[in-house]
Amino acid sequence: MHQDRELTERRIARFLAQRLTSSIWTAPVPLRAEAWDCPGEPVSFAEAAAQDYRPFAPGSPWGKPWQTTWLRLTGSIPAAPDGFTAEAVIDLGFSTDMPGFQAEGLVYSVDGTVLKALESTNMAVPLTGPAGSEVTLYVEAAATPNVIGSFSFLPTPLGDRETAGTDPLYLFRRADAALLDRQVWNLAQDVAVLWGLMHELPMESPRRHNLLRALEQAANAVVPGDVHNSAEAARRILEPALSAPAAASAHLLHAVGHAHIDSAWLWPVRETRRKVARTFANVLALMETDPDFVFTASSAQQYAWLKEDHPQLFARVAERVAEGRFVPAGGMWVEADTNLPSGESLVRQFTFGKRFFMENFGVEPLDAWLPDSFGYSGALPQIVRSAGSRWFLTQKLSWNESDVMPHHTFLWEGIDGTRVFTHFPPVDTYNSALTGQELARAERQFRDKGATNLSLVPYGWGDGGGGPTREMLAAAHRTASLEGSPRVQLSSPRTFFEEAEADYAEPPVWSGEMYLQFHRGTYTSQARTKRGNRRSESLLREAELWAATSAVRTAAPYPYEELEEAWKTVLLGQFHDILPGSSIAWVYQDAEQAYERTEASLETIIDRAQRALAGDGNGTLVFNAAPIPLQGVDPLGASAALPAAPGRLAELDGGGWELSSEYLSLRIDPSGVMTSLRTAQGRELVLPGHPANVFQLFRDTPNQWDAWDIDAADRRSAAALLVPDSMDSGDGSLTATYSFGASRLQERISLSPDGRSVDLAVTVDWHEKQKLLKLAFPVGVLADRAASEIQFGHIQRPTHANTSWDHARFETPAHRWVHVGEDGVGISLANDSTYGYDITRIGNRDAGTGTLVRASLLRAPLFPDPGADQGEHMFRFSLRPDAAVSDAVADGYRLNLPPRKVSGAAFTQMPPVASLSPAGVLIEAVKLADDRSGDVVLRLYESLGRHTAAFLAPGFEVRGAALTDLLERPAGEDPVRDGRGYVLDFRPFEVKTLRLSR
């Protein structure tokens, strides 16, 4: 036969796009439209319904950026013959793609009941009631601007209300009462599924050509101008093609309906609250028409917003949860970043998230659901399992720039040896529409073929919400068993994981962090928000510690509600597009204000508790919240502080200065850089020919994703700040001031109170654009690995670039410290708010090799916030020579939990609420139990990476001690009592939760 495949495909494509799709709705009758523009922030339905509305015809412009316009639509319900359904079809001015990134609407009945949402791919609202009866609908239309645009990443004013402008963004297109032709709609779904499958089959496959001819015949059977009456004949033609079963060996995809709703990103938190209502309303409406549909949603925070904003809608969600069709997932408060939050913050993400789900729905999610976070800490498996969960899911590693993960289903092993069953969906998206292309990609890319044949596909519009559509469900039903296609099963996370575990008894193991080879700038962008997070975490530790100690010592009331509110604020701020710095300006304006309120509240709690503990008198107490001794004060205790031993500062002949103590000697030249740092034993730790403490400016122009990315190419463009405006000495310190571009930087160099470390206080008034500021320390140790603190321990990363995996890890996250060393000598750098580092080899063939440690201080990306990081910033560092990892741990706590002095105390000594030895096992949190029993809960962890037997001595009378999981439920055998304390065995980096009954 003559080959006309290409011509036939073009004919079918036009038939589907123009002739078939346009016939889905018939007999449209315009609804009468009226509008009211909300003058400020969104209002309730009751307030909006009471306003005066103006006529609003199709073609009318509406919606200045971030404005809400309410529409009132009235008309008659059309009579619907058999095969038809009456619907309102409402187009607010949608573009044809990217739901959730543009205008959206929430539709209410006249009595205020939420019906469903309007999106660019979901414009229909069912009309129920007798034919001819009057209907009134209200639409809360949100003029969300499309900040992402065409993914050009150009600066935009749209992310800030002050600069977004006032011109209307959208044109109201239509609001009609119409009839959905179910036969035509089903034909469109038949054709779409077979069309998508056909294009994924090999050209030599007979099935591909059979599908082409079936589709051709079906298109020819449809009569233009009489699509309804000819659609049934076309469907009969396609029925054999649709009923041909899948091969027994076909890959099985568990299709999990969900909507990844970013808790803030290219929209503020206030808009996310409305996105949640819209998406959940869509889901509930879809459940009314498809009894097989199961939907899962993570983030307890989003359910809490719904409960507060739309209690009736929340009650409907609760009903579906009880049926098992609306499935809470993840067990976390939000889908958090996992690189930057502290260990205790990640613990509370699970404790707050799980408790909300258990208290409100009686269910406990057993999966950790983080499809979109920017890399995954090696501490996470232990936290997941200790929270009572069994499984972990992510998709984001498909974004790796250079290397492909070797498994899709595996055991992920954390730094302590804990393993969690993990799945990485091979479909490579968390926004699948279940297209033929996506299903084929999942089967083709699945890397565990032969060992197991199951994977999960998350489907539904996400990021900006929206969720699954009826078209997606139609695709799922048609591909349940379809020749040439993977099999699709509507499912839930639990169903998938239980079947996958049973099917794959011995999966491979991935050990350590899952580093995302992308979005490396998120360790540095929006430095004020990162400082606010770190400061809030430290204040929460102090507030809980001293409030719990005060409750034990003085019977003072414990501020449960105040602490809960503060924690929820901090946990929300750790969402993976807030804390990493990748959101619009509005988000950071809100975040910085929230941190200020949280700081004020926590400072009040701390002051109240410490004054209750100190009593009234003439003494002075120094409170130490750190789990290490500071200034002579015991961990978690209070006493008089030892006097500091300030360093000796001397001016050198020929220029420069020497700052010294009995432990070190530091030389600084007139440019403000370190030319020598010697230990008491005389070991030089500044690499010859490479001065340390050098501020370096880099070009910062990533290929894409400005606020997210740092590109390796820009590391070649360093310009050092070596000419200070001034160098001032006094009080045992040096202060250097530099000007560059439109910015100014000041650094104060001194010694720590004990004289063992060099302390650096850096203030920057930053007004650069597309620049990266780093602080560099080339050190004279040949370290093949660098230790970086992560949650509840540290991770070792290579300093070389031998493999593509090593080369891609050119910017890495760390918490309070990094450490490099040789056998017997090391150097550490601690910080109070910095997260991004690059630690590499430095040297040449002649002078030998050392290690370059660089901290990333500031960036200035232009998208999505063109004003990112502009203004004043403060950083503190501590450089410690002759440092072991334990010394790095100590300096990290010292910078982040400085002692507090309380005057007018009645005592000179207050013992800690608990003591722990040896020094490598630390108390990370002290609090009262969440069940309000008054029991004291301690979070303990081994910090150095070694098996350790520890002894804990309570500082108060206890009835008993019990080990618990993170939710403070009994877990494992109770600790062994030994006299006045308890013996606890720790594996490397193990976290234990100990409950002490008073």
Side-chain angles (χ1 to χ4, degrees):
M1 61 181 291
H2 295 292
Q3 295 301 312
D4 61 350
R5 178 185 60 80
E6 292 182 0
L7 288 172
T8 303
E9 286 183 4
R10 287 201 293 270
R11 179 178 178 85
I12 298 167
R14 185 174 184 187
F15 161 74
L16 177 61
Q18 296 182 8
R19 298 186 177 92
L20 189 56
T21 304
S22 63
S23 300
I24 288 175
W25 285 294
T26 64
V29 176
L31 298 168
R32 185 172 71 255
E34 301 169 289
W36 171 70
D37 295 320
C38 185
E41 285 297 281
V43 300
S44 67
F45 168 82
E47 183 175 345
Q51 304 301 319
D52 293 327
Y53 284 68
R54 59 184 169 84
F56 194 64
S60 298
W62 71 278
K64 66 182 182 181
W66 306 111
Q67 185 185 36
T68 299
T69 293
W70 282 80
L71 305 181
R72 184 166 61 200
L73 308 173
T74 55
S76 299
I77 298 177
D82 289 343
F84 291 85
T85 301
E87 294 185 335
V89 183
I90 304 166
D91 187 343
L92 299 176
F94 300 121
S95 62
T96 57
D97 58 0
M98 295 188 66
F101 291 79
Q102 53 179 294
E104 300 173 83
L106 186 62
V107 183
Y108 296 78
S109 66
V110 72
D111 65 358
T113 300
V114 173
L115 299 178
K116 66 179 297 294
L118 298 174
E119 313 276 354
S120 61
T121 57
N122 199 339
M123 295 187 289
V125 181
L127 295 177
T128 58
S133 61
E134 289 295 307
V135 63
T136 299
L137 302 175
Y138 285 86
V139 180
E140 181 189 26
T144 304
N146 184 359
V147 176
I148 199 71
S150 59
F151 288 86
S152 61
F153 308 104
L154 295 174
T156 172
L158 292 172
D160 187 335
R161 284 170 295 183
E162 298 300 318
T163 61
T166 58
D167 292 338
L169 296 174
Y170 299 102
L171 290 177
F172 172 57
R173 288 205 184 100
R174 67 183 289 199
D176 298 328
L179 296 176
L180 173 71
D181 190 328
R182 296 198 299 271
Q183 190 74 270
V184 174
W185 181 85
N186 275 297
L187 175 59
Q189 310 318 307
D190 295 343
V191 172
V193 166
L194 295 177
W195 177 255
L197 171 61
M198 180 188 74
H199 283 284
E200 295 303 317
L201 294 173
M203 192 61 68
E204 64 274 12
S205 165
R207 172 71 164 162
R208 175 172 181 141
H209 296 278
N210 290 341
L211 292 180
L212 176 68
R213 297 310 162 187
L215 289 168
E216 178 187 29
Q217 294 172 34
N220 290 337
V222 175
V223 178
D226 192 15
V227 177
H228 170 71
N229 289 317
S230 54
E232 184 178 0
R235 292 200 71 200
R236 284 197 299 269
I237 292 170
L238 295 178
E239 199 278 332
L242 284 164
S243 61
S249 60
H251 187 66
L252 176 59
L253 285 159
H254 284 248
V256 175
H258 94 133
H260 175 66
I261 307 175
D262 284 316
S263 291
W265 179 30
L266 305 179
W267 43 84
V269 166
R270 78 88 144 133
E271 198 56 39
T272 307
R273 298 177 74 124
R274 301 203 293 178
K275 287 177 178 289
V276 171
R278 295 176 198 130
T279 299
F280 286 15
N282 277 348
V283 166
L284 292 169
L286 205 51
M287 286 180 176
E288 295 291 336
T289 60
D290 192 324
D292 297 322
F293 173 45
V294 178
F295 178 79
T296 191
S298 69
S299 304
Q301 171 69 90
Q302 296 185 1
Y303 291 80
W305 284 331
L306 189 74
K307 184 177 182 180
E308 182 178 346
D309 298 343
H310 295 280
Q312 291 180 329
L313 199 58
F314 182 81
R316 291 167 57 195
V317 167
E319 292 175 0
R320 294 300 189 184
V321 172
E323 295 174 359
R325 297 183 61 198
F326 200 119
V327 181
M332 299 175 72
W333 190 248
V334 296
E335 288 186 14
D337 180 83
T338 76
N339 288 316
L340 309 180
S342 69
E344 193 60 27
S345 288
L346 289 182
V347 167
R348 304 305 175 93
Q349 288 286 354
F350 282 95
T351 62
F352 276 79
K354 285 202 166 195
R355 283 206 177 91
F356 181 91
F357 290 134
M358 290 188 289
E359 290 169 3
N360 285 274
F361 304 127
V363 299
E364 178 182 0
L366 298 182
D367 57 274
W369 183 273
L370 290 173
D372 192 33
S373 299
F374 308 147
Y376 303 94
S377 164
L380 202 53
Q382 180 178 199
I383 295 171
V384 169
R385 293 295 301 274
S386 298
S389 293
R390 295 168 51 187
W391 310 301
F392 182 80
L393 179 137
T394 181
Q395 175 275 326
K396 196 65 175 184
L397 296 174
S398 67
W399 287 43
N400 275 1
E401 286 182 311
S402 56
D403 294 289
V404 177
M405 284 291 288
H407 319 294
H408 281 109
T409 302
F410 54 97
L411 295 177
W412 179 23
E413 181 181 87
I415 58 172
D416 72 311
T418 297
R419 295 178 176 182
V420 60
F421 190 86
T422 298
H423 185 64
F424 171 35
V427 71
D428 283 1
T429 179
Y430 51 79
N431 291 330
S432 173
L434 302 180
T435 64
Q437 179 187 41
E438 290 167 338
L439 301 182
R441 180 172 66 229
E443 183 174 59
R444 181 174 62 251
Q445 295 189 163
F446 187 58
R447 300 180 69 85
D448 300 286
K449 295 183 181 75
T452 183
N453 202 26
L454 308 176
S455 72
L456 184 148
V457 52
Y459 72 95
W461 294 111
D463 290 322
T469 63
R470 59 189 177 189
E471 289 77 16
M472 295 176 191
L473 282 171
H477 290 303
R478 285 162 173 78
T479 53
S481 180
L482 181 62
E483 182 187 355
S485 170
R487 295 167 292 152
V488 174
Q489 172 185 317
L490 294 177
S491 190
S492 69
R494 181 169 191 149
T495 299
F496 165 75
F497 276 112
E498 287 179 342
E499 293 188 14
E501 272 190 315
D503 191 60
Y504 205 2
E506 296 293 335
V509 176
W510 177 274
S511 184
E513 70 179 339
M514 291 197 288
Y515 176 88
L516 177 65
Q517 297 175 349
F518 209 40
H519 291 0
R520 304 168 184 90
T522 58
Y523 318 142
T524 304
S525 297
Q526 298 289 357
R528 271 185 294 273
T529 290
K530 289 176 168 60
R531 169 171 285 275
N533 173 75
R534 178 79 69 84
R535 178 66 178 147
S536 296
E537 289 175 331
S538 297
L539 288 171
L540 277 161
R541 174 196 172 90
E542 291 189 83
E544 289 186 332
L545 166 65
W546 301 127
T549 305
S550 181
V552 169
R553 300 266 187 252
T554 72
Y558 189 75
Y560 291 99
E561 287 80 10
E562 296 165 87
L563 289 169
E564 180 176 325
E565 181 179 355
W567 266 118
K568 287 180 177 178
T569 298
V570 172
L571 298 179
L572 171 60
Q574 292 169 348
F575 176 72
H576 66 252
D577 273 310
I578 301 179
L579 184 54
S582 48
S583 291
I584 58 173
W586 188 345
V587 172
Y588 296 105
Q589 294 161 7
D590 287 350
E592 289 167 25
Q593 293 170 9
Y595 287 130
E596 289 177 5
R597 293 191 302 270
T598 299
E599 180 175 4
S601 171
L602 294 173
E603 290 284 7
T604 299
I605 294 171
I606 293 166
D607 181 71
R608 186 169 64 222
Q610 289 182 337
R611 293 201 172 276
L613 288 164
D616 295 322
N618 299 317
T620 298
L621 274 179
V622 175
F623 285 81
N624 175 20
I628 58 163
L630 289 178
Q631 299 180 22
V633 182
D634 288 339
L636 316 186
S639 66
L642 294 176
R648 298 180 296 273
L649 180 65
E651 194 163 354
L652 299 173
D653 294 338
W657 296 265
E658 183 177 62
L659 191 56
S660 62
S661 71
E662 62 179 299
Y663 304 105
L664 61 85
S665 173
L666 170 69
R667 293 199 169 193
I668 303 158
D669 79 1
S671 64
V673 302
M674 300 175 183
T675 57
S676 174
L677 177 60
R678 292 184 180 272
T679 68
Q681 293 75 34
R683 171 65 189 266
E684 177 61 68
L685 288 174
V686 171
L687 189 65
H690 297 274
N693 187 44
V694 178
F695 292 95
Q696 296 178 330
L697 275 175
F698 296 80
R699 169 177 169 170
D700 190 13
T701 54
N703 292 343
Q704 55 183 334
W705 298 105
D706 292 33
W708 294 256
D709 287 355
I710 289 175
D711 284 3
D714 284 338
R715 291 198 302 169
R716 297 189 288 266
S717 62
L721 304 183
L722 296 174
V723 183
D725 299 340
S726 63
M727 290 288 296
D728 300 311
S729 61
D731 298 325
S733 67
L734 283 171
T735 300
T737 302
Y738 303 86
S739 296
F740 55 95
S743 303
R744 184 177 175 85
L745 181 154
Q746 188 175 83
E747 180 188 44
R748 181 177 182 270
I749 307 171
S750 61
L751 296 190
S752 62
D754 63 2
R756 295 179 181 272
S757 304
V758 180
D759 283 357
L760 309 172
V762 180
T763 303
V764 188
D765 187 15
W766 179 251
H767 297 285
E768 305 307 299
K769 297 288 188 181
Q770 295 186 300
K771 296 288 179 66
L772 169 62
L773 179 66
K774 285 178 174 277
L775 180 54
F777 298 91
V779 297
V781 295
L782 183 57
D784 65 338
R785 296 175 298 166
S788 300
E789 188 190 37
I790 63 172
Q791 301 89 349
F792 299 124
H794 60 267
I795 191 168
Q796 299 278 359
R797 301 184 180 104
T799 59
H800 56 70
N802 285 356
T803 71
S804 58
W805 294 86
D806 300 329
H807 179 265
R809 206 181 288 111
F810 59 80
E811 183 86 4
T812 56
H815 281 206
R816 293 169 292 200
W817 57 265
V818 295
H819 178 275
V820 294
E822 302 166 355
D823 184 30
V825 64
I827 189 165
S828 65
L829 181 65
N831 73 82
D832 75 337
S833 61
T834 303
Y835 294 93
Y837 291 84
D838 71 277
I839 305 176
T840 56
R841 300 295 180 89
I842 186 172
N844 55 53
R845 286 177 291 182
D846 301 319
T849 302
T851 305
L852 175 61
V853 178
R854 286 193 295 210
S856 298
L857 274 61
L858 289 166
R859 302 185 65 218
L862 300 181
F863 183 87
D865 176 9
D869 281 323
Q870 301 301 296
E872 292 192 357
H873 302 270
M874 294 179 291
F875 307 91
R876 294 177 67 213
F877 295 94
S878 188
L879 184 70
R880 184 163 184 151
D882 204 17
V885 166
S886 58
D887 299 315
V889 172
D891 267 355
Y893 277 110
R894 177 174 63 85
L895 287 189
N896 287 272
L897 291 166
R900 292 173 179 263
K901 184 182 294 185
V902 175
S903 301
F907 313 103
T908 58
Q909 185 81 21
M910 187 200 75
V913 71
S915 301
L916 187 60
S917 59
V921 181
L922 302 175
I923 300 176
E924 184 64 7
V926 179
K927 60 189 286 292
L928 293 195
D930 290 340
D931 63 7
R932 306 199 177 191
S933 62
D935 290 353
V936 175
V937 173
L938 309 178
R939 195 97 59 224
L940 321 170
Y941 79 104
E942 197 287 317
S943 65
L944 304 179
R946 59 179 67 151
H947 280 88
T948 305
F951 183 77
L952 184 132
F956 57 96
E957 292 296 324
V958 301
R959 289 189 291 108
L963 290 172
T964 73
D965 69 2
L966 298 181
L967 274 73
E968 300 167 14
R969 302 174 294 198
E973 296 182 0
D974 290 345
V976 177
R977 184 146 194 166
D978 184 358
R980 293 187 57 81
Y982 298 90
V983 177
L984 300 161
D985 288 324
F986 286 81
R987 63 179 180 270
F989 303 128
E990 183 180 6
V991 179
K992 291 184 185 291
T993 303
L994 187 66
R995 182 175 185 137
L996 302 174
S997 301
R998 289 198 278 156

